[in-house]
Amino acid sequence: MRERGPKLRETLITLAHGAGGKATRMLIEQVFLEAFENPALRPLSDAALLEHDGVRLAFTTDSSVVKPIFFPGGDIGDLAVNGTVNDLAVSGARPLALSAGFVIEEGFPVDDLRRVAASMAAAASRVGVPLATGDTKVVERGKADGLYITTAGVGVMPAGVELGADRVAPGDRLLVSGSIGDHGMAVVVARGELALEADLESDTAPVHELAAALGEGLGGGLRWMRDPTRGGLATALNELAGDAGVAVWLDEEALPVRPVVAGTCEILGIDPLYVASEGRLVAIVAPDAAERALEILRSHPQGADAAVIGEVRDEPEGLVFLDTALGGGRVVDMLVGDPLPRIC
Amino acid sequence: MRERGPKLRETLITLAHGAGGKATRMLIEQVFLEAFENPALRPLSDAALLEHDGVRLAFTTDSSVVKPIFFPGGDIGDLAVNGTVNDLAVSGARPLALSAGFVIEEGFPVDDLRRVAASMAAAASRVGVPLATGDTKVVERGKADGLYITTAGVGVMPAGVELGADRVAPGDRLLVSGSIGDHGMAVVVARGELALEADLESDTAPVHELAAALGEGLGGGLRWMRDPTRGGLATALNELAGDAGVAVWLDEEALPVRPVVAGTCEILGIDPLYVASEGRLVAIVAPDAAERALEILRSHPQGADAAVIGEVRDEPEGLVFLDTALGGGRVVDMLVGDPLPRIC
């Protein structure tokens, strides 16, 4: 179990509490986890594991408040569906059904709602999972920002699949299925608030096929998976390092970052390690499974740019360390503050 | 299958689309159902039925946008938990786990969030169901109204339980577990916008024990259950009448309405038949099971005011008909417009 961090001192919620980084973790641990305390929630993983009559289920939820609702490469609808599918997939589960709760602002165009619904339907159909139940609420003008969608998902854990931070050990290798930061940068630029144009597109996509292929191909050699969304790769790996009590060493030169993403990040002074992807998975695998894992990922169209990007070590325990291209290195902390509000 | 109603003509979403009545049904049928088309969603019941490996699951979701967040008898937290528990319970399912997605407005007091979390925890603990997974998003000031919560729930259907509009037949009896309209009126008065004070309290509560007792006690004699929330008893029964192709005859004199609720409704010109309850269930039972059903409900503290309030007939097909105290009668239509926005 991760050690308690500093105490939550703020009296009012700030945007940083929603950024997925350090403040979010403190809020969740010190407000929700304290109140809701139960073994299913405790691991704070992407999906809770439930068991009934010998059937193992995974259960997860995501609220989507992305701004703008439509952006290059996707919209709030497929983002919501893919996000929930991916939380199930990286937990090792096969998606069984999704739900969707809509909070709509009075005055929202019905045609935009149709467009979002069509995009949710297409995303769900791509995965073969039904949008089985839903709810619709409307709030007055000025009480939302167009449309918020909260999806939840139920999945089935195949027999034998056991993933988790407790299975990660020094020597294990770290892989990513493709370039990082595409989604976050595409959304930020799409807002049009920056005097910046760039040919950026969200990577929003379901990773269920990649996840299933790794599970089938590696068996017990697959230790842990995550989709590096809000807070980016840095935050996902910091949570792993803390939960597993290990160090994660990242090789900067091996990190796949598209030049246009790297360039936009540089202009904005943002580190791509903290920028959300919405169609990538990171995986920790046993040392002797790394080559096979890379083959499996690269043989799939979504994994063409997959790479081994680091390894697990003993020290410095609980931290993520970046080996830089220049031969030096630095600790990569969890996200602090919120440089990119409402990117998912 | 219910016939298609009139075509959705609005180009912008209105508050009526969130009221749970006719406009909501049109929006759901003509936007979401058309896009998402699948057998689990099709019945538009309180919970979708899923099946995996011989295990039957129920799955449901609710977005809560109630204003004010704290009101006499409850708050947005226990309302959200009870609402999802009740959707599972009236489907005949035993709740297994809940999820919660929070959309929080920047500047919301952390202490209020703790209070809501504590109330969710208490409500979940009363039912013995874990809040197993969640998500937290923060939006800028002016982009929400304090706090919105979307809960989802997974439940297990006990073997042998078969409920549905298709099992309802003429001659069946209609029961309600207690007084109607308490929640909606308590919330409206709590807003303080009306020059009105009344000793009103929400009835928010889980009905899982009542539902389970009816299921165990009546077996196949229990046909259909629903919790009459948004849109009230009138809307729930109209949906039943349409789905089952029957008439529902209501006996006005038998309807339990607390005098303070009836009086407040009268002042505001609102029919209590359209006002939400959040801790009541309505049940249709076989003719010879009505007496036993009433006994079961009344033997539970939450069912002290239970009553047989009507019956199912052949005619007028698809309609709800109210036998008034004066010996006359009138058709009770579905809710049109939204006299009480954001009561749940």
Side-chain angles (χ1 to χ4, degrees), chain B residues 25-40:
Chain B
R25 183 87 183 200
M26 278 171 61
L27 182 74
I28 290 172
E29 286 183 348
Q30 293 176 44
V31 175
F32 297 122
L33 196 53
E34 280 204 13
F36 300 165
E37 188 59 53
N38 65 71

Side-chain angles (χ1 to χ4, degrees), chain B residues 60-73:
Chain B
T60 188
T61 191
D62 277 301
S63 292
S64 298
V65 299
V66 65
K67 176 173 92 174
I69 285 172
F70 302 100
F71 47 81

